[in-house]
Amino acid sequence: SNVEGGVAWSNTSAASVAGGDFASVELLAGESSEWLMASAFDFTIPRGSTIDGITAEYETSATLTASARAAGVRLTVAGMLRGISRALSIVHWLLAWTYVTAGTQNDRWEESFKGRDVNASDFGIAIRVTIDGVLPTDAHIRHIRMTIHYTLPIQTGYTTGTAVVGA
């Protein structure tokens, strides 16, 4: 789904299948796209786990090299942008399909997500693209994947023994 101002993406549902069709946006000099939002990753983080970091990878290409780049990469919950942007604004998208990574195994995007947040069907990622060139450029996203790095809760337990008195 798309939110906020900017040029609309076309074929947005195509960005969910690796190696398949792709979402696309045509941008003129100085334009940015709307946010392309992807969610419903079907995570099943165990209750009580600590979210250590979130990594997002998205497969990109562009019709002109050294032109299109991510203007913003944010996490989303319930359709709302969360955390700080992890866009690598100096990395321009190539002509060939290439994965771009945002976040790391120790990066919580300056948020404190719980397992229930990332397990929710409305948890996801939003990507906004802009161009630096003067010629019209088509930017494409073909696949988006996310990895949630977490620590399981510490399991505590006890055992009870019975002594036999006088034995």
Side-chain angles (χ1 to χ4, degrees), residues 21 26 39 57 73 76 79 90 129 141 158:
D21 206 358
E26 181 181 356
S39 60
E57 298 169 286
V73 178
T76 63
I90 59 170
V129 65
I141 295 180
Y158 63 92

Side-chain angles (χ1 to χ4, degrees), residues 94-151:
L94 305 175
L95 299 175
W97 289 106
T98 307
Y99 276 99
V100 177
T101 301
T104 67
Q105 66 185 20
N106 298 313
D107 183 0
R108 292 184 295 203
W109 304 53
E110 295 193 15
E111 285 284 332
S112 296
F113 291 109
K114 305 268 187 233
R116 68 177 173 268
D117 297 321
V118 299
N119 289 344
S121 63
D122 60 10
F123 175 81
I125 189 98
I127 302 166
R128 188 172 196 176
V129 65
T130 191
I131 63 167
D132 291 329
V134 295
L135 297 175
T137 302
D138 289 356
H140 313 291
I141 295 180
R142 181 166 70 176
H143 183 231
I144 301 170
R145 61 186 176 211
M146 293 182 72
T147 304
I148 307 300
H149 307 273
Y150 64 93
T151 302

Side-chain angles (χ1 to χ4, degrees), residues 158-164:
Y158 63 92
T159 183
T160 303
T162 303
V164 178

Side-chain angles (χ1 to χ4, degrees), residues 3 12 17 22 42 44-45 57-58 78 87 89 101 111 129 136 144 151 156 163 165:
V3 295
T12 56
V17 180
F22 51 86
D42 294 326
T44 54
I45 306 302
E57 298 169 286
Y58 50 102
S89 59
T101 301
E111 285 284 332
V129 65
I144 301 170
T151 302
T156 58
V165 178

Side-chain angles (χ1 to χ4, degrees), residues 10 21 29 34 36 46 60 74-75 82 89 91 99 127 136 153 158:
S10 61
D21 206 358
E34 291 180 334
L36 175 66
T60 66
R74 306 267 306 268
L75 299 175
R82 298 272 305 270
S89 59
V91 176
Y99 276 99
I127 302 166
Y158 63 92

Side-chain angles (χ1 to χ4, degrees), residues 1-103:
S1 111
N2 295 295
V3 295
E4 216 171 276
V7 179
W9 289 83
S10 61
N11 203 21
T12 56
S13 63
S16 62
V17 180
D21 206 358
F22 51 86
S24 182
V25 62
E26 181 181 356
L27 299 172
L28 303 175
E31 289 184 326
S32 293
S33 72
E34 291 180 334
W35 290 95
L36 175 66
M37 299 180 73
S39 60
F41 285 90
D42 294 326
F43 293 118
T44 54
I45 306 302
R47 183 178 180 178
S49 296
T50 301
I51 305 301
D52 300 319
I54 300 171
T55 304
E57 298 169 286
Y58 50 102
E59 191 178 19
T60 66
S61 74
T63 54
L64 291 175
T65 192
S67 184
R69 63 177 173 80
V73 178
R74 306 267 306 268
L75 299 175
T76 63
V77 175
M80 303 297 294
L81 299 173
R82 298 272 305 270
I84 63 170
S85 178
R86 289 298 187 227
L88 298 173
S89 59
I90 59 170
V91 176
H92 287 96
W93 298 2
L94 305 175
L95 299 175
W97 289 106
T98 307
Y99 276 99
V100 177
T101 301

